[in-house]
Amino acid sequence: MTVSKIPATVITGFLGAGKTTLIRHMLANAKGKRIALIINEFGDLGVDGDVLKGCGDEVCSEDDIVELNNGCICCTVADDFIPTMEQLLAREKRPDHIVIETSGLALPQPLVAAFNWPGIKTQVTVDGVVTVVDSAAVAAGRFAHDHDKLDAQRLADEGLDHESPLEELFEDQLTAADLIVLNKADLVSGDALNGVRAGISGHLSRKPAFVEARNGEIAPEVLLGLGVGTENDIANRRSHHEIHHEDGHEHDHDEFESFVVTLGPISDPAAFLEGLKSLIVSHDILRLKGFADVAGKPMRQVIQAVGSRIDTHFDRPWSAGETRQTRLVVIGIHDIDEAAIRASLAELAG
């Protein structure tokens, strides 16, 4: 690894694992290191980018944040990611470190492989891939890791389809990792957290490092400076897609669907959030995030939900001339009932 190369960290993880929260904490404690962010959104509302903009001081100005929201970054490497990298490298004042936050639906492997692209490989190296895990979700069995048990169930009932695209995606993100962050560790017991760690380790041929976290609070010196040069080891981290492709399968994200709902002011925020919990469960919504206009409040409320867990906070005052409105991105499986969800959200808003 050449000393003059700019290190780049890829931060991946499933929907709602806490990637954006982790990055905010990293920026707040970067101690003057100039960091450029590339953010890949899934959906039409750039929530994560908007949350991170204005992240503070000279560490990361708004000019240092680039959003890629034209599709999943692993499918648009040539069209979006590589030109963005070339633009960053062409700047007179280059960053000390580049951080890429992938969409929760992205495969890390094609992105890491792109660092071998001519013109990038000589200037940038992948310092490491950090995979953020929602420990509470995994402990609750949101994803199955015991393949032997799944095979036994398949033999018992050949009519069952145990191969979930979500599970494969989760495993691919773990397979690519140099460091696995067991986030939301405070939401599970010590025994449950040990079970999550053991379950993940048991299905990885490589042995990445683990670190536990709550609210994404990891010191930047732990996340940055791994010095792995992951692009040189990508052949040992093949994804399910790469394995399936050898058998003639094609990769797409048609299993997922997202849409944006725009609403007026929220008259009763407590009732609205309670209603969201029921709506998320009844329609099996994977992820819901956005901003709310709470009636009578001068500040904008951020809403981030995964499963029935909902986090909210007021991030900033509404700007002069800015249209006050509630806008939410809803992400679910392809057959999600968009019309019913829109109607329910409108009713909840009051």
Side-chain angles (χ1 to χ4, degrees), residues 118-197:
I120 293 179
K121 184 175 179 63
T122 57
Q123 302 183 68
V124 187
T125 183
V126 181
D127 184 65
V129 175
V130 177
T131 299
V132 186
V133 172
D134 182 337
S135 301
V138 176
R142 184 66 173 170
F143 302 100
H145 295 289
D146 191 337
H147 291 177
D148 292 338
K149 184 175 181 180
L150 290 180
D151 287 338
Q153 291 174 342
R154 182 182 291 110
L155 290 174
D157 185 351
E158 294 182 359
L160 294 176
D161 179 6
H162 301 299
E163 294 299 322
S164 166
L166 297 180
E167 184 184 19
E168 288 188 0
L169 176 58
F170 184 61
E171 291 176 354
D172 288 341
Q173 292 173 347
L174 295 171
T175 297
D178 296 297
L179 174 67
I180 295 176
V181 177
L182 299 179
N183 198 27
K184 307 183 184 181
D186 53 312
L187 301 182
V188 297
S189 68
D191 288 343
L193 193 61
N194 289 336
V196 171
R197 184 194 297 258

Side-chain angles (χ1 to χ4, degrees), residues 2-3 10 40 50 62 75 114 133 138 160 175 203 209 211 223 251 254 256 313 315 323 339:
T2 305
V3 175
V10 176
N40 181 216
D50 208 359
E62 291 196 12
C75 301
V133 172
V138 176
L160 294 176
T175 297
H203 289 280
V211 62
L223 297 172
H251 166 56
D254 290 341
F256 307 102
H313 68 274
D315 68 333
T323 301

Side-chain angles (χ1 to χ4, degrees), residues 75-267:
C75 301
T76 61
V77 164
D79 294 334
D80 291 327
F81 174 68
I82 290 174
T84 296
M85 287 292 295
E86 290 173 341
Q87 290 172 15
L88 280 177
L89 295 173
R91 290 184 178 182
E92 182 177 351
K93 191 173 184 180
R94 307 209 312 180
D96 299 319
H97 205 109
I98 299 171
V99 173
I100 302 115
E101 178 193 359
T102 74
S103 157
L105 305 176
L107 295 167
Q109 285 84 348
L111 177 59
V112 173
F115 282 86
N116 288 308
W117 191 272
I120 293 179
K121 184 175 179 63
T122 57
Q123 302 183 68
V124 187
T125 183
V126 181
D127 184 65
V129 175
V130 177
T131 299
V132 186
V133 172
D134 182 337
S135 301
V138 176
R142 184 66 173 170
F143 302 100
H145 295 289
D146 191 337
H147 291 177
D148 292 338
K149 184 175 181 180
L150 290 180
D151 287 338
Q153 291 174 342
R154 182 182 291 110
L155 290 174
D157 185 351
E158 294 182 359
L160 294 176
D161 179 6
H162 301 299
E163 294 299 322
S164 166
L166 297 180
E167 184 184 19
E168 288 188 0
L169 176 58
F170 184 61
E171 291 176 354
D172 288 341
Q173 292 173 347
L174 295 171
T175 297
D178 296 297
L179 174 67
I180 295 176
V181 177
L182 299 179
N183 198 27
K184 307 183 184 181
D186 53 312
L187 301 182
V188 297
S189 68
D191 288 343
L193 193 61
N194 289 336
V196 171
R197 184 194 297 258
I200 291 174
S201 297
H203 289 280
L204 296 177
S205 57
R206 294 173 48 257
K207 300 302 177 185
F210 284 82
V211 62
E212 299 172 8
R214 53 180 297 169
N215 299 320
E217 296 177 358
I218 299 290
E221 51 266 32
V222 175
L223 297 172
L224 311 180
L226 297 175
V228 177
T230 313
E231 71 274 18
N232 298 318
D233 188 52
I234 192 61
N236 295 320
R237 311 183 189 202
R238 292 196 308 158
S239 67
H240 283 280
H241 160 58
E242 291 170 300
I243 295 170
H244 290 178
H245 187 69
E246 294 174 359
D247 297 327
H249 290 78
E250 294 297 327
H251 166 56
D252 60 55
H253 289 318
D254 290 341
E255 294 294 330
F256 307 102
E257 188 171 305
S258 73
F259 55 91
V260 177
V261 179
T262 302
L263 305 167
I266 306 300
S267 56

